[in-house]
Every structure is written in structure tokens, then in C-alpha cells.
Amino acid sequence: MKAQTRLETLSALSGPSGSEDSVRAFLIEQLKPLCDEVRTDAMGNLVALRCGTAPKRYKLLLDAHMDEVGFIVTGIENGFLRFAPLGGIDARVLPATRVRVLTGEPLFGVIDTMPPHALKAEDMEQAVPMDDLVIDIGMTQEEAEANVPLGAVAVYDTRLIRLQNGRLAGKCFDDRACVEIILQTLEAVQNDASDVDIYCMFSTQEELGMRGASAGVYGIEPDMALVLDVTHAKTPDAQSIDLMDLSGGPAIGVGPNMTRRISDALIQIAKEENIPYQLEVMSGSSGTNAWPIQIARGGVATGMLSLPLRYMHTPGEVIDLVDVDATVRLATAFVRKLGEVWA
Amino acid sequence: MIETLLALCALPGVSGWEDAVRDYLMEQALPYADKIETDPMGNLMVFRSGKKHDKTLMLCAHMDEVGVIITGITAEGYLKFDFVGGIDRRVVIGKSVFIGDDTIPGIIGIKAHHLSRGDKNVPAVHEMSIDIGAKTREEAETMIALGDVGTFEPTCTRMGGLLCAKAIDDRLGCAVLLKLLEHQPPCDTWFVFTVQEEVGTRGASTAVYHICPDAALVVEGTTASDLPGVPGHKTICKMGAGAVLPFMDRGTLYDRGLRQMLISLAERHSIPWQTKQMIAGGTDASVIQRSLSGIPVVGIAAPLRNIHSPASTGCVTDFTAVCRLTELFMEEYAQEK
């Protein structure tokens, strides 16, 4: 499958935290020809091993999470679904947002909004609290009860849109774009006689507090890890200097959550390979799977590569394919040079 | 009719830029029309000679929809915009828009919730931007001009018995009129598709001047807010409960005689109907009634949730009720002495 089509498919798949099944099923098919071993652990993490051939080999973990932010149905009222968020969602993006409820046959729905006629002016200045919102699926109470069990989950129903300059807008590039980056990296090193065993972990429940990865990494017991996730790019309403530039290349994480030697290696390799990069300085937790992975078992030398992304966790996240390509190149070069720079 | 409605909803037609909708309607109307006229405002007026000729009925639906208009381009290539027509700004955040003749796609973004630290304030329109992926003003200017207009996502979805799309207000009315045009009307009838309803019922005013009808029926979409937690008096009307026959809105007191005719027809033919329980909104009727030396007006509407948003929804059974009742009205009006 062509990379861009595959990214489109990955973005279209529904995989809110804890219900990553369709993403996992798709990835298993993609990984089979690329890997020696594919397994799923108790938390639902998908772990794929691509063995190196050298006699002495490092165990390198590449991690990207499969899950996306979404919603979970907590009640049914007059046929409308009450819901809670799965992951961090700004209630301000929800009125008139289309969603897909993941029942046997996916149901399409809309998050309804009260019309201005029925509101006071000051009500319209503020976000409607999430527990006052409902998903409308066009059903009566009886129909909804028969079709939607409490605990059913939902995701944004957004089409991928091609913007200018190879930029894309769509849902859940956090973190499917990085899933795609790992797939492309695996493809790039396919014929290498490698001195690393590459463990790819497509982890679950990151959006609920990195729950999948902490169990997954224990089962893998890697020597080092490269975590691939997205990071905030500047937007018109967020221009702080510590935010990344879209199209500026992958962000190499620097700070206590990232093992200094790995960060240095990534910087050195980016320079050698002429790959554009940015530095993302994080004073504490990266807020990603790097946080639990770094302290798994006796400790894992951990690095972070982040893809710049605008409007995170909204129905219209924006990324640049230039950054995707640069991240693939840097991850690939890192895999190839790891033995050399680490020795 | 539903297929026609879906095709119509997908077309762009922001007030003042109704061209695509007009072209489509003109093509569809051509086989049935005795006369097709447009006027300087852009209204499309289709005449079909009736079985009787003693009076002329005007059926009216508006072609235009609410949208955005580009007012500026920043140095970084983002577009600044304003709304055309009444849009509650809470519904556009995180949504896509499609701008200009080349339907350049863009996103009305908001910074990640991680960065907004629990801010609950809805940004003002002038604080919002459209991201089309351009990197500079110069680049954006190669594809976008100030004054270009944009519409919401054109995708239509079926949700149970509901349809979800942009612009059901008032492509539903257009679809109903097209459907009824297929048969010879009981009396001489102008099927009028107006422009610029959403910016103050501008088009209807000149259309009436051209056709001088004896009475007018406006087929519209109207706001429903029958959501959980909304007190009865604020629900306005209910989806699935049939055609809405308003007695009054903010622009019109509808003709009592004609409205009673509609109610009797609905009762006699077991067509579900309701009325609006709030004096809200307005339609082309407001200007039609005051045109020439005054014209009796009446309205039939379908309840719509999330009207004027990227995802308005309406109920197919209500649409059917609106269409059938309009058809019955044409018959009854023609027979009335």
C-alpha cells in the first residue's frame, strides 16, 4: 500500500483508547511481511519484532500509540447519548461536530447544540460544558437502547483534507502519523544487515495516561527506546517561542525524560545526514510514552522524536508530509547508526 | 426528493454566490418549465402554467446558505474572515471550510487544549483564522482573494431517520419546489428560488416585483432545539413531529385564512403538523407580505437541529410532510373562490 494512502487509511480507522482493535488488525496485516514476529499483549499493545543479523545486537524499541481521543457513552436520554471524553478534549470544538459511534455497524451522529434563539447572549461566550452536550444519532429511546450499549465508544468523523504544500488536515494524526513513520522506517531498513533487533510497539491507551506502554515495555525489556509522538506546532493563537514550527522537521526531545546520550546521538545523526530538526526542551515529563518507558524495569535509554502538529486533539489536526518524511529519514538513520554511535 | 436534496446540500451557495445552486436548479427545471427568468439580484423564477388561470400562486424557497467571507490574509498565510448570515461562532471551531471557485480547503483551528489551560471562552470571530496550509501571504494570495466566500463541509450523512448536511436550510425548500414542479399545477404558479435570504431577505423583494403573485407560500427550514434538558417552552419545535405551520416569527404574522387552510388540510389528510412555540427567526415572507400593495403569505417549514452549522440535521418524515402539505395547498388554493 502506498504510504500516503496508508496514512489516509490509518487516520480513517477508529481507535479510541481501549478500543484500538481495528487499528491493530490493520497493522498486523501491514507488519507480517516486514517482521519476524508479531504478538499482542494483555493490554492490547501490538509488538512486532524485526531481528537483526549481527552476532551482537541491541534491543531497540520504537513506540507509537495506536489510540486516539474519543468519547464513551455514559447514558441515553430521549434517544440522545450522554458521553464523557476519552482523553483530553476541549469542549469548545464539540458543537455541531460529526462523530462515529462504534457499534456493530458504526452509527453516524452529531453533537447537538442549542440554537442562539433559545440562549442568553452570555451563554454563547462560553463553552458548553461537556456533560451538558449530547450525541444525536437520530433514534428514539427504544432504538438507541437496543443499538447502543452504555460504554460504547465514539470518535470524530472527519474526512482527511489535503491542504497546500503537502499539508494534511484530519483526525488523529496524533499518533497515527507516527505509526506510519514506524512502518516506513521498517520498510527502509528491510534489507539491512542490522546490529539491532527492532521491537515496534503500537501501544494502547496513551491518551488516558500512557497505560499501555508501561506494561508493553516491561514485556519487551529493551536496551533503548525511541518514542515517536506528535508535538505542538505554532498556530495563530499559540505563538510561544517554545512551540515547534510546522515544516521545521522532527523535534528532538531534550530534558530529563530523554536520556542525554540518545538526544545527542539524534542531533549528531541529523547533522551528518542533513536532516532538518528542531529541539524541544521539556523540563519534566514529556507527556508521552517516553515517561513510563524510561523507567521500565532497570531503566531504558530513551529518546524522543516528535512530529510537529497543529490543533492537537481537535477534529482537524494539521501536519506536513515534509515533516513525516524527515522524521522517517532521521529514525531510519538512527536505527542504522545506533550500534556505531552507542559502542 | 431526498436524492435531489442531498445533491443540493453539497453545492456551494453562500448569499450572493448562489450560482452553482441556480445552475443546478435551472437544469432540473428546464424540462417542466413554461418560462424561466432570472433578475439582476440573481433570483431564479420558474413559471408553470396551471390547469386554471384565474390567480397566480408563488412558491418560495431560498437558494443561499450561511458561510464565511475572507476579509484578510496574514503574513503567515492564514485567512481572517467574517460570517455571511447568522452563525453562532461556537459551531465553527475545529471545522473545515471550502473557499472560492476552486474550493480551497481550510481548517478553522483552535490551539490544543494542553495549551489553553482550561480556557472556556469562545474566541471572537476576529480572533479565529482559517489554515489552508499556505506559508506566506504571497502564496495564499495566488489562490484566495479578499471577498472570496467559503462553505462548510459538503458531505451528507444519514443518521437513522435523519439526514445530516450543511445548508438543509433551505435546500430542502428548493428540493420540495423542484419535486412539485414535475406536475402541472392546479393554478398558474411561479416556483421562485431566491437569493440572499440569510443576509436580510434581500432577493425575495425583487422577485415579487417581477411576478406579482396573488399569494405566496414560503417553504423553509426552521430551528428545533428539542434536546434533553431544554425546557418545553424553549424547544421551539420538535423533529419528527411533522410540518411546522408558524403563526408568527420575528418578521411576519402569517395570513390566518391561508394558515387555517393548511391546518385543515393537514388534519383532513392525517399529515403530522405542529407549530413554533417561540417567536424566533424570520423568512422571505417578511418582505413578500409588504411588497407591491401587499400579498397574503403563509409558511410551511421543516424542523432542523443545528441549523446554520456544518452539521444541520432534519427528519425525512418531516420533509415528506412538508412536501405533501405544500402539494395539497396548491390544490386547495386553486379551488378556493
Side-chain angles (χ1 to χ4, degrees):
Chain A
M1 190 182 266
K2 272 180 63 186
Q4 242 200 72
T5 323
R6 189 170 58 199
L7 177 56
E8 198 162 337
T9 304
L10 283 165
S11 163
L13 288 170
S14 307
S17 307
S19 304
E20 301 87 353
D21 310 62
S22 65
V23 184
R24 186 167 43 240
F26 176 77
L27 284 177
I28 288 172
E29 291 311 307
Q30 298 293 310
L31 289 163
K32 271 182 188 163
L34 297 171
C35 291
D36 299 295
E37 190 188 310
V38 180
R39 66 179 172 85
T40 304
D41 73 13
M43 281 297 284
N45 298 299
L46 180 63
V47 179
L49 167 62
R50 191 268 183 189
C51 290
T53 47
K56 180 178 169 359
R57 303 192 296 272
Y58 296 102
K59 285 174 79 171
L60 170 67
L61 168 62
L62 301 179
D63 169 83
H65 64 90
M66 291 190 286
D67 62 315
E68 67 190 283
V69 295
F71 313 93
I72 187 159
V73 176
T74 54
I76 304 177
E77 208 174 321
N78 300 340
F80 297 88
L81 312 181
R82 294 283 188 194
F83 62 91
L86 287 171
I89 290 181
D90 186 339
R92 292 179 296 178
V93 307
L94 296 182
T97 286
R98 301 181 192 211
V99 300
R100 210 183 299 154
V101 184
L102 309 180
T103 49
E105 276 288 297
L107 298 172
F108 293 100
V110 173
I111 298 176
D112 279 335
T113 178
M114 281 273 289
H117 316 77
L119 294 175
K120 297 191 183 76
E122 59 265 31
D123 294 339
M124 292 160 61
E125 304 295 319
Q126 293 275 314
V128 182
M130 214 171 297
D131 49 9
D132 286 345
L133 292 170
V134 289
I135 298 173
D136 185 348
I137 51 170
M139 288 190 181
T140 62
Q141 180 73 12
E142 294 67 34
E143 290 168 339
E145 281 175 3
N147 283 283
V148 185
L150 297 191
V153 293
V155 292
Y156 295 132
D157 181 38
T158 318
R159 275 194 312 148
L160 181 141
I161 295 170
R162 288 170 209 290
L163 304 179
Q164 307 304 312
N165 296 308
R167 293 172 170 184
L168 303 177
K171 78 171 180 71
C172 77
F173 293 131
D174 173 9
D175 193 25
R176 303 288 161 72
C178 290
V179 169
E180 171 61 26
I181 286 167
I182 291 183
L183 291 175
Q184 287 191 37
T185 303
L186 271 180
E187 286 165 349
V189 301
Q190 202 51 27
N191 299 314
D192 289 14
S194 176
D195 54 3
V196 292
D197 285 341
I198 306 171
Y199 286 83
C200 302
M201 176 161 71
F202 300 98
S203 43
T204 57
Q205 299 192 35
E206 191 272 349
E207 299 294 359
L208 297 182
M210 314 102 158
R211 294 179 190 171
S214 54
V217 64
Y218 186 94
I220 295 167
E221 205 179 351
D223 300 312
M224 59 263 302
L226 184 62
V227 173
L228 292 121
D229 208 331
V230 298
T231 189
H232 304 293
K234 289 188 183 73
T235 59
D237 54 352
Q239 293 281 337
S240 170
I241 194 158
D242 56 350
L243 298 174
M244 300 298 109
D245 291 315
L246 192 67
S247 322
I252 298 173
V254 177
N257 189 183
M258 280 64 60
T259 305
R260 189 72 217 178
R261 267 186 86 186
I262 301 273
S263 298
D264 288 345
L266 287 166
I267 293 167
Q268 183 195 327
I269 292 166
K271 284 180 177 161
E272 287 168 5
E273 303 281 326
N274 269 324
I275 300 168
Y277 70 95
Q278 322 178 55
L279 290 184
E280 183 181 17
V281 179
M282 289 169 275
S283 57
S285 169
S286 59
T288 71
N289 283 339
W291 192 241
I293 286 173
Q294 191 185 25
I295 55 164
R297 294 194 180 237
V300 178
T302 300
M304 268 226 76
L305 277 187
S306 297
L307 182 76
L309 175 146
R310 290 176 179 160
Y311 323 120
M312 198 182 293
H313 292 187
T314 74
E317 297 179 337
V318 170
I319 58 168
D320 191 329
L321 288 173
V322 165
D323 291 327
V324 172
D325 288 343
T327 310
V328 170
R329 281 190 285 137
L330 185 48
T332 304
F334 179 76
V335 170
R336 285 181 175 150
K337 293 189 169 181
L338 180 63
E340 178 192 322
V341 297
W342 200 260
Chain B
M1 181 177 85
I2 297 304
E3 291 314 307
T4 308
L5 173 59
L6 295 180
L8 279 165
C9 287
L11 295 172
V14 176
S15 308
W17 281 263
E18 299 88 354
D19 309 63
V21 181
R22 184 169 48 242
D23 292 348
Y24 176 89
L25 290 171
M26 208 182 294
E27 195 186 311
Q28 300 293 314
L30 210 53
Y32 308 107
D34 291 316
K35 203 159 34 171
I36 296 188
E37 291 183 8
T38 55
D39 70 8
M41 281 296 285
N43 295 304
L44 174 65
M45 296 164 287
V46 179
F47 180 75
R48 185 144 187 197
S49 179
K51 292 168 187 153
K52 295 170 69 183
H53 309 289
D54 54 336
K55 44 189 176 181
T56 304
L57 177 65
M58 170 184 183
L59 299 180
C60 178
H62 67 89
M63 295 186 284
D64 63 315
E65 68 188 286
V66 298
V68 299
I69 186 162
I70 306 306
T71 55
I73 303 177
T74 71
E76 300 81 26
Y78 294 107
L79 313 183
K80 305 304 283 187
F81 65 96
D82 204 346
F83 292 137
V84 179
I87 296 180
D88 173 356
R89 67 189 199 276
R90 295 173 306 159
V91 305
V92 305
I93 300 172
K95 310 302 193 297
S96 53
V97 286
F98 298 81
I99 305 150
D101 294 338
D102 298 326
T103 58
I104 304 290
I107 288 280
I108 302 176
I110 189 168
K111 64 182 163 192
H113 81 101
H114 318 69
L115 304 174
S116 60
R117 303 184 195 291
D119 186 2
K120 297 276 181 277
N121 291 307
V122 178
V125 181
H126 68 83
E127 293 170 314
M128 299 181 191
S129 307
I130 300 171
D131 186 345
I132 59 168
K135 296 180 180 177
T136 62
R137 175 182 291 134
E138 290 68 33
E139 185 196 351
E141 281 172 347
T142 63
M143 59 200 97
I144 302 283
L146 299 193
D148 280 356
V149 293
T151 60
F152 296 127
E153 162 85 54
T155 311
C156 306
T157 316
R158 283 172 190 267
M159 291 171 21
L162 307 186
L163 293 182
C164 174
K166 72 165 178 72
I168 302 179
D169 169 20
D170 185 28
R171 303 294 155 72
L172 167 70
C174 297
V176 167
L177 265 56
L178 260 193
K179 173 85 184 146
L180 297 175
L181 176 64
E182 288 174 9
H183 301 286
Q184 188 185 18
C187 70
D188 286 352
T189 303
W190 281 97
F191 299 79
V192 178
F193 305 91
T194 59
V195 296
Q196 298 196 28
E197 191 271 350
E198 298 293 0
V199 292
T201 60
R202 309 281 298 160
S205 145
T206 61
V208 178
Y209 183 88
H210 291 290
I211 66 176
C212 302
D214 295 304
L217 168 65
V218 175
V219 185
E220 258 282 22
T222 195
T223 300
S225 55
D226 52 335
L227 306 176
V230 178
H233 67 288
K234 288 193 169 173
T235 57
I236 306 179
C237 58
K238 287 201 172 81
M239 298 263 284
V244 178
L245 306 178
F247 47 86
M248 176 183 173
D249 57 32
R250 290 171 70 92
T252 311
L253 281 160
Y254 291 89
D255 184 274
R256 289 190 186 188
L258 293 177
R259 180 166 180 270
Q260 193 51 51
M261 185 187 285
L262 282 170
I263 293 173
S264 307
L265 285 167
E267 295 288 342
R268 207 181 324 144
H269 294 270
S270 300
I271 296 168
W273 73 278
Q274 57 187 323
T275 193
K276 257 167 98 156
Q277 298 186 45
M278 183 179 278
I279 310 302
T283 71
D284 275 336
S286 65
V287 50
I288 296 171
Q289 65 179 343
R290 286 177 277 174
S291 296
L292 306 173
S293 50
I295 294 164
V297 289
V298 69
I300 303 183
L304 304 176
R305 292 187 191 129
N306 309 320
I307 200 169
H308 294 190
S309 89
S312 55
T313 57
C315 183
V316 175
T317 58
D318 292 335
F319 300 166
T320 313
V322 167
C323 189
R324 177 73 182 128
L325 194 49
T326 305
E327 187 180 18
L328 290 168
F329 176 83
M330 293 166 75
E331 195 66 49
E332 187 81 359
Y333 176 76
Q335 300 310 323
E336 191 201 29
K337 294 293 169 224

